[in-house]
Each structure stands twice: as C-alpha cells, then as structure tokens.
Amino acid sequence: MDRENRRYLLGVFMAEEDILGATRTAREMGYKIVDVYAPYAVHGLEHAMGLGRTRLPLITLMLGLLGAGLKVWFEYWSTAIDWPVNVGGKPWDSLPAFFPVTFEVMVLFAGVGTVVAFVIGQRLLPGRKTKLPVEGVTDDRFALVLEETDAGFDKVAAEEMFARFNVVEVIERVKQEPLQ
Amino acid sequence: MSNKPASKPDGWGQRLPELPDGGAGAPLQKDLLNGVSRRHFMQATGFAFIGTMMLGCTAVSEEEALPYLEQPEGVIAGRSDLYATTCGGCSAGCGMLARSRDGRPVKLEGNPDHPLSHGGLCAVGQASLLGLYDSHRLRAPVMDGKASDWASVDVALGDRLRQLRSASGRVAWLGAPITSPNKRARVEEFLATFDNGRLVEASANSQMPIAEAHGLTHGVATVPRYHFDRAQVIVSVDADFLGTWISPVEFTAAWSSRRRGDALENGFSEHVQFESRMSVTGTKADLRLRIAPGERAAVLNQLVRHLSQHAHRSLRQIQDRPLTSVDDAQIAAIAARLWEHRDQALVVCGADDLAAQTLCNAANELLGAYGKCLDLAQPAHHAGSSETELSLLLDEIAAGRIDALFVDGLNPVLDLPAGAALAQRLDAMQLVVSFSPYEDETSAHADFICPDHHYLESWSDNDNITGLMSYTQPIVAPMGATRQLEESLSMWTTGAVVPVRDQVLASSGGDVRRFDKLLHDGFEMRDVRQNAGNFRPDGVHAASDPDASGLQLVLYSKVAIPSSAHAFNPWLHELPDPVTKSVWDNYASLSPATAERLSLQDGDVVRVALGQDAAVEVPVLIQPGQHDSAVAVALGYGSVLSRRFEGVGPGWIERKPTVGSDGLVGASATAVLAFEGGRRKFAGRSVTVEATGARRELARTQDYHSLDVPPHLAPEGGERRPNVQETTVAALMDPHFGEHAIEHHDGGNMWPVDHPYEGHHWGMVIDLTLCTGCSACVTSCQVENNVPVVGKDEVRRNREMHWLRIDRYFVDRDPATAGGDRSNGTGNGDVDVSHQPMMCHHCDNAPCETVCPVLATVHSDEGLNQQVYNRCVGTRYCMNNCPYKVRRFNWFEYAHEDEHENLAMNPDVTIRSRGIMEKCSFCAQRIQEAKIVARQQRRPVADGDIRMACQQSCAAQAISFGDMNDPESAVARARDSRRHFQVLAEIGVQPSVGYTSLVRNRPTDHEGPQHG
Amino acid sequence: MASEHVLQQRPLIEGNKTPGQVTADICRLLDGKPSGTWWAAFLASASLLGLGAVAIGYQIMTGIGVWGLNNTVGWAFDITNFVFWIGIGHAGTLISAVLFLFRQRWRTSVNRAAEAMTIFAVMCAGIFPLIHMGRPWFAYWMFPYINARGPLWINFRSPLVWDFFAIATYFTISLTFWYIGMVPDLATIRDRLKPGLRKNIMSFLALGWNGSYRTWLRYETVYMLLAGLATPLVISVHTIVSWDFATSVIPGWHTTIFPPYFVAGAVFSGMAMVLTLMLIARKTMHLEDYITKQHLGAMTKLMLFTGSLVGLAYGTEFFTAAYSGNKYEQFTFLNRAMGPFAWAYWTMVSCNVITPQLFWFKRVRENFLIVFILTIFVNIGMWFERFVIIVTSLHRDYLPASWADYSPSLVEIATLLGSFGLFLTLFLLFVRFVPVIAMGEVKGVLGIGRGSGHGS
C-alpha cells in the first residue's frame, strides 16, 4: 500500500496513569491507535488499546509435546531396538528410567522454541536498526500514536484530549516510516 | 616399574606386549644362538615339547631373525603351550606347568598331577616368573668387579684354582641346601679336587634343626616327610606349615583334604596351634593357644608328659611339672585327643632349638606317628647341614682359616649374623666365587661372579622327596650370557663344559626316550626307601625353664618374602601379607596390650635392641592374637636388591617414596639375629623396644580389621556384619543344618526378567573353610591380568590395583569385649580370624552397569559383567555403586617401561591406560580359550575346562568355577551345599559368586561368631 | 495475596524515584571508570581463578590420582562442589520464575543479579562433572551423537545422563530467560549512549527493541511462559541431581527423601548466596533505595522456610533409618553423627538448622550486617551438607574390609577455590557491563505503595 498521504498524531506523556487514560479515551473516541510506546510494561494498557491474546502459548505446547515425543521414541529405539544390551538386568525398555531426559528435552524444545517464535514474530533480530518514535520511550516517556484516518479527523479535539492527560508534547508526522 | 634396565638388551622386546609373536619370536631365536652353543641347542630341542623352539630357530638364521614370516610347524602364533617343570621359588620343589606363549613363558601354574603340590602354586612360585625377565639380573660373568666373558673367567679362575690345589688351600662351599642329585654330584666332584674342600648347606630360615633333631632321636639327620592328609589331630608348635614352613603348598593341599565341610565322612581334622605371633596357620587353627616365644620346648614338655602317661612310657628328660603359664588341663585334653586318634595324630614344631624339636619327635614317637603321619623312610631333602657346622665354618672364616669360598643360593653377608665382619673377611680371602644372578651384598665382595641361569632357563633334577624325582627343563633360551652352575663346575673340574642336559639325562638313567617322557610328565615316582632309624630316648633334650620375662624377639619369614633372594620382586613386595595386610615393609608386630603398655601406635618407629649394639629400627604394627611378650620382625628385608624401587609408583606432587631413607625396602633384621651356643637363635631372645620418635606410615590394604562395627556406632542387632558366616562341625552334623540358620535370599526381581541365561551362566563358589588366606590367588591374578604394581604410597592411599583381594577379619573371642576393631587393644587377646577372597561378583543385577552413562560396563549373555576399557570415560560412579568395592580405577598412567618385565605380560589381556576402570573379568580370556579349544574338538565346553587364574593356583582347591546352568558342574553342586551363602544377596544384586561357610572343628557352644 | 497486601503499606523502592531517576541510578554504575574496590576484588578473584586453572590443568595432565580419592571413596570434592554450585544456581530461576508466577513484585530489584548468579553458578557446576572424569577429553561421549562405532548409543538408565541433559537444558533456558529479560534494558542503555563502539554493541544486543507496546505484550507472555517452564525445570534439575545418589545402592544415598530435600536445600543455599552478593553490591554500589528491608525480609523468610525444611529432612533421614530396620542404613547414620566425619556433620547441622531459626526475629531479619554473616554460615553449611552425604556414605559402606578414610589433596582444595574465583570474576564483570537491576521491571513497580499508582 502507499503511505504517501499518511499522517500521524503523536502525543508524549510522562506518567503511567496519563498514558493509560489517554489511550482509553482515544479508543472510546474512535481514533485509530497505531501503537503505544512505553519504557516498561504498563499493566492494563492492552485493554486500553483493545489488543487480543497472542498464540504463543499454543506454539509452546506443540513444541513441548514434539520434543517429548521425539525423545521417548529415540530412547526406546536406541535402547531396545537398535542396540539392545543387558544393563544391570534391567528390561530392554526401561520406560520409567527414560522419564527424566524426556522431561528435560520437552522443556528445552518448548522454551527455546517459544523465544525463537517471539523474536521472529516481533522481528527482534540481533543488530536490527530501529528508530524510536520519539526520544526517551525506552527511558521514562510514554508515546501514543494515532493515525489521522481521513479528512474528518478532528485534530483539535484530539489535542484537547491529550492535554487533559497532561501531554508534554504533541507532534504531527507525515510520511512516517512504517512503524511495525 | 619405572626403573630402566641396567644393561639395555640388544634392542629386543620393545614391540611387546603388543606384538607377542614378532617381539618375542625374533629375540628368542637370536638369544638362543647367542646364549648357548648350537650343539647344546640341538640337544635342548631333542624332544617333542621343545620341538617348537627347534623349528622356530633352525628355520631362520641369526641375521634374518624376524617374526614368524613362514609359520614353523607346531607353532601357532597366539596359542600357548604348557611345559612341565619344577618350581625354583624355594626348596620345596613343587611341580608346575609353564605356559609358554610364542616362545616366552608368561604364566606359571601348578602341575595338577604332581604328587606334592597337586596343582597348587604359591605366590612366590607365581611371582618367580618375574625373576626370569628381571632387567637387573647379571647378563654376563663379572671378574674383579668388571663385566667379563666366560672364556676369560674360566682361564683366570682356572689359574686361581690350580694355585689353591697345589697349595692345598682350604676351600669351602657355602650354599643353600642342594635338592638336585646332579648338582650335588657336580659340587662334590668339584670339591673333591681339593685336599680339604668342605660343603656347608645352610638356609636363611630356622628349619635346619629339624634334621639335626632326627639325627639325635632317630640316628638319621633328615627332614621327615609330613603327611597332613593322614592326620585327624594336628598339633603344631610354632610351625607355620600352611604359610612358610618347609613345603607350604604340599602341606596346604594335604591339610585341606581333611577339612572338607561337605564331605565330613572323610573326616574333618582337628587342628591345635601353639604360637607366639599370628601366623597363617594360626588363623586356620580350631584351637589357638598363645605362648611366649621361649615357652615352646616347655609346652612340648607338658604335651609329651601327658602322652607318656597315656603310653605308659617314661622319658627321663621329661620334667614332671608344668613349666609354662599355659593351662595344663588344656594341654592334657589336647594330649588325650591325640592319644585317642594316635594312628592319625601328628605333632609338628617350627622351633629353632633342639630341645623343642627332639621333644616333638618324642611326642610323635609316643603316638606312633612315624611311618604314618610322618615318614623318615622317604624323607624330604631340605635338610642341609647342621647349625653347628655353619657356625664352625663362619668361625673359621672369621679366623681367616678359609682360603677360598664358593657361595651359591645364599647371601651370607645379608642373611647370616655378623654380616659386616664376614664381608671384611671375604675381601681378605684369596678367592671368593659367587653364583648369584645379582650383584648383592655378598657377590659384591666376590672376585668372580658366575651368574647361574634362572631356573626357567635351566636343566635339573630334584629329589626334594625321596622316591619322587621332579625335572626342570628350560622354557626359554637364556636371556643373557649366563651359565648354569653345573656347567661351570664341570668346566672347572674337568676342563670342559659338559652340557647340563647331558648331565641330567645321564643322572636320569641315560635313556633318551624315557627322558622325554619324564620331561613331559615333569616327575617320576621311584620306590626308594631309606633306613628310618629307631627312636633313641637319650637323644631327647630336656626343656629348660623358660624365662617368660620381658619382651622376646621372634624372627620369622613372611609368606610374600620368604627370603632376601626375593627382595627384587615387586609383585611379592606388593602382595598384602595374609595376616597383617601390610605391603612394601617389615615391621615389629606387638600385641594390642603390649602396644598399649608401651603407648605405641601403628607406624611408630621403634628400636628393637638385642643388648647394646645389635638393633634394628622398624615401625610398629599392632597385631591382634599375638602373645603379649612377643616382638615379631620379618627377615629378608633391607636388601640392596630393593634399591631399585626408589622410583616405583606414579610421580606427583604429594608422592611419598616406597623405599626408606636408606633407599631400601624395609630393614634387615639379621642385625638382631645371633648365634647362641653354636646355633642361630631366631626366637626367644629377650629384647628391648623403645620408640625413636620417628614415624613410618605402614601401607595396608585393609584399614578396618573386624567384622564388628565400632561399638559406639553399632545399631541394635547390627553389631556384626554377616558377610562371613561361620559354623562348626558339630552344627553340621545336624541333618537339619542350614534350613533356618543361614537365610537364603531369592533376590526377587521388581521388573520383568528380560535376560534369561539359556546358554552358559558362569559362577564361582569359594569355600571359606579351605581358604587359608595364603594369597597365591592374588599374585596369580596379578600375573594373569597384567595388574600394575603401584608402590607403597599408593597402597597407603587405598589405591592398590589387585583385582582380587582377600579380606581378613579378626573377631574378639572374649564376649566381654566383643565388638569393634580388635586392633584397638581391648579384649583378652584371643581372636578368631577369617579370610574372605573378594573379587567382582558379576551380579546379574549389577548396580555398576545401570549407572554407567556410556555403557562402558555391560552384561554378557553368559552372566559376565564386562568392562569395556575403550569406552570408559572414568566417572567412577560404578566404583561408588559397587557394594563389594571391587572395582579398580587407573588413578595414574602406571609405568610399563621395562622392556624385560613387559615380556612377562599376558598378551591376551589389554594394558589399561590412565583414567579408566578395571576389575576382575572372570578371566574372560581363559573362558574364550577354552571355548575355542572345545569348538575345535567339536564338543561342548566341559566342566573343569575353564580354570580361573585364582582357582588354578589354589593349593587348597577352595575355589570352584563353572557353568551354574549345568547341574552336574562343581560350582552348581557347591551352590547346593547347605553351607552356601552369598554376600549382600539381600540387596538384590544377584551375585554370581557365592561362598560356603567357614567351618571350625570346635564345640558349638564356644563364644565367637555363630551364623551357622 | 497476603504478602502483597503487606507490601502495599510501604513502597518497594524508596526515595520516590521516577522512571528517569531509575534509569539514571542504574546506568550510572555502568558509566565511568571502575572503582578501586572493584579492581581489588577483580584481581583477587581472577587470581583465584588462575590458581584453579593451574590445578585443573595439572590434574588433567597427571591423572585423577592427584586428588585424595581412593578405591572406596570415588567421589568427594568434585561432586560436592558440583552439587553445591548447582544448588546456588537455583535461586536465580526461583526468584525470576517462581516468584514471578506468584506475583512477588519485590523480586524486581534482585532478579537480574540472581539470574546472572544462576548462570555463573551453573557454569561453575558444569566444570566438575567434566573434570571429574578420568578421560575428560571423551566427555562428548555422554551425548548420543551419530557415531562410526555402529549402533553405539548411551545409557539412558544412568542418572549421569539424566544429569547431563538436565544441566544442559537448565543452562540454556536460564541463559535465554536472562537475556530476554535484559533486552528492554539494553535498549534503554543503547538509547542514552553517544555513538561509538559501546552503542553499536548495545544496538546489536538490543535486537532493535523500541518499546512498542505490542512487543511489550508478547514479551510479557514469553516471560510468563518461560517462567512457567523454568519452574518445573528448576525443581527437576535438583531432583535429578539428587537421583545420582537416590538411585544407587549405597546406604545413606539410597533414600527416597532426596528430591524434595535437595530442592529445599538448593533454594536455601541459593537465597543465601543471592543475599551475600546483593548485600555487598548494595553497599558498594549504593543501591540502598532498591534493595530494602522488605527484600531482606522476604528473602530471609524464604530461607527460614526452606532452612526448616532442610532441618526436617535431616531428622527424617534418621527416622527412616531407625524405622527401616536396615542395619546398614542405621550404621551409616550413626557413623555420620559419631564417626570419623562427625565434625563435618555437626558443622552442617549447626550452619543449616540453627542459623535459619534466627530469622524468626524481625530484628535479625532487618539487620543487614547480621543477615550477611548468617548467609555466609549457610553457604558453608550447605557445602558441608553435600560433602557429608557423599563422603560419609561412601567411606564406610557394606564390607568393613573396604572401609577407608578420605582427606583432600592440595589440588582438590585449589580446584574448589578456583571455582569461587570463576564465579566472582564473572559476577564482577557482570556488575560492570550489565544493568544489575532490571530497570524495565523496577519502573513498573515504582508506583507500589505510593497511593498514586496501582501496583497490579
């Protein structure tokens, strides 16, 4: 899609409760919230933004089961089929003895897999260059970014709403780089 | 060993043991051609069994000495042949089979057919193999301290002899007792060439008075042959006949035939031991009475007194009153038992004084034992000369009245009293010739050292027992330019070397065909009898009142180091003493009470002094069961031959040396050996013992010595560990025995049994009644399995490598103080001793296997617990999880640098490298060999085909091994014994090794362990 | 949650910090030259590390024989140190994962350091299974790699294999967890640095984090998931370590109580080590506002709890032995308490059972100095616990003839010191180059206890 005529309104806040309030109100007023930037995970913001749940837990579960399955098979195959050898008179398939390693491998697959899925999903890659919407969002400032969807977008009302939540700075940007 | 060969052999052996055929094959032929004349050699190979060597050597000439490129007939590389010969380890002359592999002997085993040893071979015999490959042996004659050759020696010595003969010089031969008729003939011929030559045969130990005593009491100065197998009641006064006395293997075999707990109908002998120190024999006695060293004659006096009353024969020498502290009623009871079984009664005495020996003869005479349990008609030939002759010779030497001395098989400077003085006289003497294979204390003072062959390179005939001729044949050509004594003598007598094989052939009767048969068998029986003499009451010496005051010295010989001649042998030095479990040292044994009285601890160095100047400094070892007045020190230590062990054992920052500050192993106790009235007095001299303040840590393979756990740590009912189970003959008589007494564990499985043993299922049973702890099996195992020697410091750190150990337990017989480690000095001092051989139990549910992460130890389908050296990463988890603690870890890279000693290695067994685990393999290589042979003969492996190294060497035949699945096999039958039990079966590991309980012939109601 | 209700009363972070000040305070530690104290400490621990390296080198060149082990005692310092360090390694994950799941917001001040500690401790622990092998150069045989030796795999029945997998997994997961938790802070640092090498390094490591709340949301989920996985993992790891002993047949080892006993012990020792280090850091790095009496209180209470569990376990062992009627087991425990190693046993008991009981008293709990000293005792006691379990069980087991004594060699002692050297060296580097306190998380809890913000 072309982004030429895209315009964004960006409000910078200093306090957790302000960004929460501003976001909530912006959504009630029907603005399109592009994103919110915060130096830490402000709880409740996901509701304010109206974001859904992620599918990561499902991935974790799948990977875990996969790892466990593979391991049980391998242990059984290598111990009882590929090279059955009498070890301390134990039965060929000592399943109880296989449990610990199976569990560890399950956790390994699930854990590492989840993180990999996360960094890929969020395109967080080593050395990836990024540009902050505004200085300080990784320090102590919060930023709310709205998209001026059409000509009917009431910029004044939006700025007033920002002001109600002690906005410290309002910036309007055109031809903003893709944010996500 | 880390010591380099003194004279590097001409480049051979390096390839060993990896390339046995090449490495040994080539040098063998090369040396054959160097060592002996081709003529001699052709003769040497004139019969079937040595044919191997002939073909091997005639096939290739010296220049192209190579591995068997073209296979000579009869030689199969990698297969071993057995040659019958006679052990030269001591004067007992046990028959043995030398296992020759690719032309070199790699293992010595008892000859099962031999009438003396019946297949047993003691630790010393086993270890004598190393003497053959000892790189410190003289490889050429020495003239005036410089290496020389035989031609020049014969010339130079010839002149000196001529001078002597013309000047009718006084010549003496001082040597070990000669047991070979041929050698005796040569020696006598040689001495006859002098106007006054004389022969004195002396042994370093205290056995010479036996013959002397019989000279007095029976008119025949000889050592009788003892038949312990015929004795129902045995009374031994300080005779360690199962350990060191005269012919231990023969006696052990005979003794054990009357100690079979599963064949009581054959009779089960009663064995009473009077002794002052704790001997191997003492540990097996049914009744053991501690006496002061000086009381031996007196005790025998009491015994004879009672016997003479039974026999209604009075001896005027017998004093009619008890001279000892020993309870006379007890001796009376013993006498009664003897009398009751007088047809099968035997009294033996190991004392060094004539009174005791003659009284012992009197006792046997009264019992009518002569001709039954001991035999003068077919006596043994260890007799030697009398102590008096010896002392006279030494006096004359001291007085400078001997011009020439020939020394053979003895190291007088070290082994006899006043050695230092003797050494000076030797230097002053016109001519001193030594036949020693080493430059030892005596030969160092000789003008000529004419090194004799090792017996495995020799030809000889031995009539150690009248009527039994055992033959010695070379198993390998001489390693160096040595020459057998008989040849040297023939040269010096006749001016030409008469090949010794011809001499032996001649003395055997000269029939070559018959000779081959004799060599094949290794011995022949002949019906030769001597005059047995008659008892002369006047010959009996009266016992004098013993002075039991103070501390009395006992000088004895150890099982491992019977004499200084073995001081070069690392296998023997590292063999734990059967009683003290100590290695690499001699020490002063004291009873716990005495040690406490003198406030001495194990390892405190004490000065054992005889008068002012004569003294020896040795560490203290607290020995339970020893008489409080006895101070026992072993002879045979402190020899220059042990100087080589300075560097033995792995080197690292906290290493401590194996040798003492003087660079020697142990201290020579002959410093406190002296003549008294013309005879060496080994025991009974009163000595003083005082601490020097120094300490010398003893290295013992066992730190805790009792079956009883320390009392303050003992849980209710858990005071005594049940791993040794004991019973009595009386208890066995009960047909219901064993039904409830010994708990049998079925070791049920908690998981499905996936591993049934359909084919073979190897197992072993060891009879604790028969095991004397003599430790022949330990050395046999070490030789068979290339077990490294690690040195004193490593043993002190409990890192000995022996795959087979013998656990020895003392249990206090005094119920008041029972419990705890007896070496703590409490209790009345009477202890019961048990020996328990302990090796890998090859558990079917082996705890070691389960825990190995890399499958380096797994189970074979024949029940063997296999250690895969190449796979082992050395986590030591298996070692920790072994309830028997029989696994051995290679803590360091143990040295195998000595090309010569490496030749003694068994090519069938891998050398283990640093960082891996090893342990008893049930001699897997022997099982394999037997299977191959059986397959070649298209028959199944039969019971008895496979004999473990330990089992083979056992004179008492205490070990049975075989297929547990074969109900007829010896091992299966042993497992059915009522006495059978398994150690730690209760933890469900299902061991393949079992034991049959220790039977003592005692009234059941005695205190002490009763698990039966 | 009750504890949280209590925590509502007083602010978690003192001194009315704003997020900006937090950033400033924490990052200040990373800027500028290291202090003299730091250099002194660093040199000291680096030389310890060097000593250990020499000892290990000598041992690998010469053989395990340079340790004091023998045919009866096949493990001693090596596995003692291993279990000790693994135990230390448990606090980090516990604090970051378990407390996270329990919404213990106070953890935010300490979890970064605790996690770092975990990683370093696991590294120390990992050394010992490696060097205790007779042939460490074949250590890779522990892994079932496709090999040219035919079907030659490994023994999945062996607790050592379980160990290998458990520790490998634990290390990987902890490292990931630690790094992911650090990404936002790395971004913070990146954004306040002037262009240069450090900035480039930071931008590389920060994965292009820009504080987008969509990312934050998934980040929180991942964090939650990892916490959820790490919690059973941390328990499984020490359970498996305890199985090294519990599955054996040696009296004193062969006991079912080990897993819970070991886990409790691990948390106990871990907490002690975290406190020891954090109290030093607090003083030297002026973090008084971030590590407060509340943290102390919470952690000492945790130690009181786990310490009491350990004490209970000691008692239970004796009861089991007595009640089992197994004579070998009974002897083993009598031997522990009264045998040749009684001194070690009673050191252990007094350090691990008596010490934590002092935490019943608020005055003790809130006195930084006393707590510091007590944690040292606990560290010592927990080392001895492992020593006692391993050595006293081995040195006198079934057959009296094979009973033996044990005493460490110089090399062994040097190796132990070396492992402390490694641990401290790494920790000192950590406090220099990584934010010791999780800014991102602390900022989230600033509000707590200030009425204004809503904690959760």
Coordinates of all heavy atoms in Angstrom, one line a residue, chain C residues 330-366:
Chain C
Q330 N 21.1 -47.9 59.3 CA 21.3 -47.4 60.7 C 22.7 -47.0 61.0 O 23.0 -46.0 61.5 CB 20.7 -48.4 61.7 CG 19.2 -48.5 61.6 CD 18.7 -49.7 62.4 OE1 19.4 -50.5 63.0 NE2 17.4 -49.8 62.5
F331 N 23.6 -48.0 60.6 CA 25.0 -47.7 60.9 C 25.5 -46.5 60.2 O 26.1 -45.6 60.8 CB 25.9 -48.9 60.5 CG 27.3 -48.6 60.5 CD1 28.0 -48.6 61.7 CD2 28.0 -48.2 59.3 CE1 29.4 -48.3 61.7 CE2 29.3 -47.9 59.3 CZ 30.0 -48.0 60.5
T332 N 25.1 -46.3 58.9 CA 25.6 -45.2 58.2 C 25.2 -43.9 58.9 O 26.1 -43.0 59.0 CB 24.9 -45.2 56.8 OG1 25.3 -46.4 56.1 CG2 25.4 -44.0 56.0
F333 N 24.0 -43.8 59.5 CA 23.7 -42.5 60.1 C 24.3 -42.3 61.4 O 24.8 -41.2 61.8 CB 22.1 -42.4 60.1 CG 21.6 -42.0 58.8 CD1 21.2 -43.0 57.9 CD2 21.6 -40.7 58.3 CE1 20.7 -42.6 56.6 CE2 21.2 -40.3 57.1 CZ 20.7 -41.3 56.2
L334 N 24.4 -43.4 62.2 CA 25.2 -43.3 63.4 C 26.6 -42.9 63.1 O 27.2 -42.0 63.8 CB 25.2 -44.6 64.2 CG 23.9 -45.0 64.8 CD1 23.9 -46.5 65.2 CD2 23.5 -44.1 65.9
N335 N 27.2 -43.5 62.0 CA 28.5 -43.1 61.6 C 28.7 -41.7 61.2 O 29.7 -41.0 61.4 CB 28.9 -44.1 60.5 CG 30.4 -43.9 60.1 OD1 31.3 -43.9 60.9 ND2 30.6 -43.7 58.8
R336 N 27.6 -41.2 60.6 CA 27.6 -39.8 60.2 C 27.8 -38.9 61.4 O 28.6 -38.0 61.5 CB 26.4 -39.4 59.5 CG 26.5 -39.4 58.0 CD 25.3 -38.9 57.3 NE 25.3 -39.5 55.9 CZ 24.3 -39.3 55.1 NH1 23.3 -38.5 55.4 NH2 24.4 -39.8 53.9
A337 N 26.9 -39.2 62.4 CA 26.8 -38.3 63.6 C 28.0 -38.5 64.6 O 28.3 -37.6 65.3 CB 25.5 -38.5 64.3
M338 N 28.5 -39.7 64.6 CA 29.5 -40.0 65.6 C 30.8 -40.6 65.1 O 31.7 -40.9 65.8 CB 28.9 -40.9 66.7 CG 27.8 -40.3 67.4 SD 27.1 -41.4 68.7 CE 26.3 -42.6 67.7
G339 N 30.8 -40.8 63.8 CA 32.0 -41.4 63.2 C 33.2 -40.5 62.9 O 33.1 -39.3 63.4
P340 N 34.1 -40.9 62.1 CA 35.3 -40.0 61.8 C 34.9 -38.7 61.2 O 35.7 -37.7 61.4 CB 36.1 -40.8 60.8 CG 35.6 -42.2 60.9 CD 34.1 -42.1 61.3
F341 N 33.8 -38.6 60.5 CA 33.4 -37.3 59.9 C 32.3 -36.6 60.7 O 31.6 -35.7 60.2 CB 33.0 -37.5 58.5 CG 34.1 -37.9 57.6 CD1 34.4 -39.2 57.2 CD2 34.9 -36.9 57.0 CE1 35.4 -39.5 56.4 CE2 36.0 -37.2 56.2 CZ 36.2 -38.5 55.9
A342 N 32.2 -36.9 62.0 CA 31.2 -36.2 62.8 C 31.4 -34.7 62.8 O 30.4 -33.9 62.7 CB 31.3 -36.7 64.2
W343 N 32.6 -34.3 62.8 CA 32.9 -32.8 62.7 C 32.2 -32.2 61.5 O 31.5 -31.1 61.7 CB 34.4 -32.5 62.7 CG 35.1 -33.1 61.5 CD1 35.6 -34.3 61.4 CD2 35.3 -32.5 60.3 NE1 36.2 -34.5 60.2 CE2 36.0 -33.4 59.4 CE3 35.0 -31.2 59.7 CZ2 36.4 -33.1 58.1 CZ3 35.4 -30.9 58.4 CH2 36.1 -31.8 57.7
A344 N 32.3 -32.8 60.4 CA 31.6 -32.2 59.2 C 30.1 -32.3 59.4 O 29.4 -31.3 59.1 CB 32.0 -33.1 58.0
Y345 N 29.6 -33.4 59.9 CA 28.2 -33.5 60.1 C 27.6 -32.3 61.0 O 26.7 -31.7 60.7 CB 27.8 -34.8 60.7 CG 26.3 -35.0 60.9 CD1 25.5 -35.3 59.8 CD2 25.7 -34.8 62.1 CE1 24.1 -35.5 60.0 CE2 24.4 -35.0 62.3 CZ 23.6 -35.3 61.2 OH 22.2 -35.4 61.4
W346 N 28.3 -32.1 62.1 CA 27.8 -31.1 63.1 C 28.0 -29.7 62.6 O 27.3 -28.8 62.8 CB 28.4 -31.4 64.5 CG 27.9 -32.7 65.0 CD1 28.6 -33.8 65.2 CD2 26.5 -32.9 65.4 NE1 27.7 -34.8 65.7 CE2 26.5 -34.3 65.8 CE3 25.3 -32.2 65.4 CZ2 25.3 -34.9 66.2 CZ3 24.2 -32.8 65.8 CH2 24.2 -34.1 66.2
T347 N 29.1 -29.5 61.8 CA 29.2 -28.2 61.1 C 28.0 -28.0 60.3 O 27.3 -26.9 60.4 CB 30.5 -28.2 60.2 OG1 31.5 -28.8 60.9 CG2 30.8 -26.8 59.7
M348 N 27.6 -29.0 59.5 CA 26.5 -28.9 58.6 C 25.2 -28.6 59.4 O 24.5 -27.6 59.1 CB 26.3 -30.2 57.9 CG 25.0 -30.4 57.2 SD 24.8 -32.1 56.6 CE 23.7 -32.8 57.8
V349 N 25.0 -29.3 60.5 CA 23.7 -29.2 61.2 C 23.7 -27.8 61.8 O 22.7 -27.0 61.7 CB 23.6 -30.2 62.4 CG1 22.5 -29.9 63.3 CG2 23.4 -31.6 61.7
S350 N 24.8 -27.3 62.5 CA 24.7 -26.0 63.2 C 24.5 -24.9 62.1 O 23.8 -24.0 62.4 CB 26.0 -25.8 64.0 OG 27.1 -26.3 63.4
C351 N 25.2 -25.0 61.0 CA 25.0 -24.0 60.0 C 23.6 -24.0 59.3 O 23.0 -22.9 59.1 CB 26.1 -24.1 58.9 SG 27.7 -23.7 59.5
N352 N 23.1 -25.1 59.1 CA 21.9 -25.2 58.2 C 20.6 -25.3 59.1 O 19.5 -25.0 58.6 CB 21.9 -26.4 57.3 CG 23.1 -26.3 56.3 OD1 23.7 -25.2 56.3 ND2 23.3 -27.3 55.6
V353 N 20.7 -25.8 60.3 CA 19.5 -25.9 61.1 C 19.3 -24.8 62.1 O 18.3 -24.2 62.2 CB 19.5 -27.3 61.8 CG1 18.2 -27.5 62.6 CG2 19.6 -28.4 60.8
I354 N 20.4 -24.5 62.8 CA 20.3 -23.5 63.8 C 20.3 -22.1 63.2 O 19.3 -21.3 63.4 CB 21.5 -23.6 64.8 CG1 21.5 -25.0 65.4 CG2 21.5 -22.5 65.8 CD1 22.8 -25.3 66.1
T355 N 21.2 -21.8 62.3 CA 21.2 -20.4 61.7 C 19.9 -19.9 61.2 O 19.4 -18.8 61.7 CB 22.2 -20.4 60.5 OG1 23.4 -21.1 60.9 CG2 22.5 -19.0 60.0
P356 N 19.2 -20.6 60.3 CA 18.0 -20.0 59.8 C 16.9 -19.7 60.9 O 16.1 -18.8 60.8 CB 17.4 -21.1 58.8 CG 18.1 -22.3 59.2 CD 19.4 -21.9 59.7
Q357 N 17.0 -20.5 62.0 CA 16.0 -20.3 63.0 C 16.0 -18.9 63.6 O 15.1 -18.3 64.1 CB 16.1 -21.3 64.1 CG 15.9 -22.7 63.6 CD 14.6 -22.9 62.8 OE1 13.6 -22.4 63.2 NE2 14.7 -23.5 61.7
L358 N 17.2 -18.2 63.5 CA 17.4 -16.9 64.0 C 16.5 -15.9 63.2 O 16.1 -14.8 63.7 CB 18.8 -16.4 63.9 CG 19.8 -17.2 64.8 CD1 21.2 -16.8 64.5 CD2 19.4 -17.1 66.2
F359 N 16.1 -16.3 62.0 CA 15.3 -15.4 61.2 C 13.8 -15.3 61.7 O 13.0 -14.5 61.1 CB 15.3 -15.9 59.7 CG 16.6 -15.7 59.0 CD1 17.1 -16.7 58.2 CD2 17.4 -14.6 59.3 CE1 18.4 -16.6 57.6 CE2 18.6 -14.4 58.7 CZ 19.1 -15.4 57.8
W360 N 13.5 -16.0 62.7 CA 12.2 -15.8 63.3 C 12.1 -14.3 63.9 O 11.0 -13.8 64.0 CB 11.9 -16.7 64.5 CG 11.6 -18.1 64.0 CD1 12.4 -19.2 64.1 CD2 10.4 -18.6 63.4 NE1 11.8 -20.3 63.6 CE2 10.5 -20.0 63.2 CE3 9.2 -18.0 63.0 CZ2 9.5 -20.7 62.6 CZ3 8.2 -18.7 62.4 CH2 8.4 -20.1 62.2
F361 N 13.3 -13.8 64.2 CA 13.2 -12.5 64.9 C 13.4 -11.3 63.9 O 14.3 -11.3 63.1 CB 14.4 -12.4 65.9 CG 14.4 -13.6 66.8 CD1 15.3 -14.6 66.7 CD2 13.5 -13.7 67.9 CE1 15.3 -15.7 67.5 CE2 13.5 -14.8 68.7 CZ 14.4 -15.8 68.5
K362 N 12.4 -10.4 63.9 CA 12.4 -9.3 63.0 C 13.7 -8.5 63.1 O 14.3 -8.1 62.1 CB 11.2 -8.4 63.3 CG 10.8 -7.4 62.2 CD 9.5 -6.7 62.6 CE 8.8 -6.2 61.4 NZ 9.4 -5.2 60.6
R363 N 14.2 -8.4 64.3 CA 15.4 -7.6 64.5 C 16.6 -8.2 63.7 O 17.4 -7.5 63.1 CB 15.7 -7.4 66.0 CG 14.8 -6.5 66.7 CD 15.5 -5.6 67.7 NE 16.4 -6.4 68.6 CZ 16.0 -7.3 69.5 NH1 14.7 -7.6 69.6 NH2 16.8 -8.0 70.2
V364 N 16.6 -9.5 63.7 CA 17.7 -10.2 63.0 C 17.4 -10.0 61.5 O 18.3 -9.6 60.7 CB 17.7 -11.7 63.3 CG1 18.7 -12.4 62.4 CG2 18.0 -11.9 64.8
R365 N 16.2 -10.2 61.1 CA 15.8 -10.2 59.6 C 16.2 -8.9 59.0 O 16.7 -8.8 57.9 CB 14.3 -10.4 59.5 CG 13.9 -11.8 59.6 CD 12.6 -12.0 58.8 NE 11.6 -11.1 59.2 CZ 10.7 -11.4 60.2 NH1 10.9 -12.6 60.9 NH2 9.8 -10.6 60.5
E366 N 16.0 -7.8 59.8 CA 16.2 -6.5 59.2 C 17.5 -5.8 59.4 O 17.8 -4.7 59.0 CB 15.0 -5.5 59.6 CG 13.7 -6.1 59.3 CD 12.6 -5.1 59.2 OE1 12.7 -4.1 59.9 OE2 11.6 -5.3 58.5

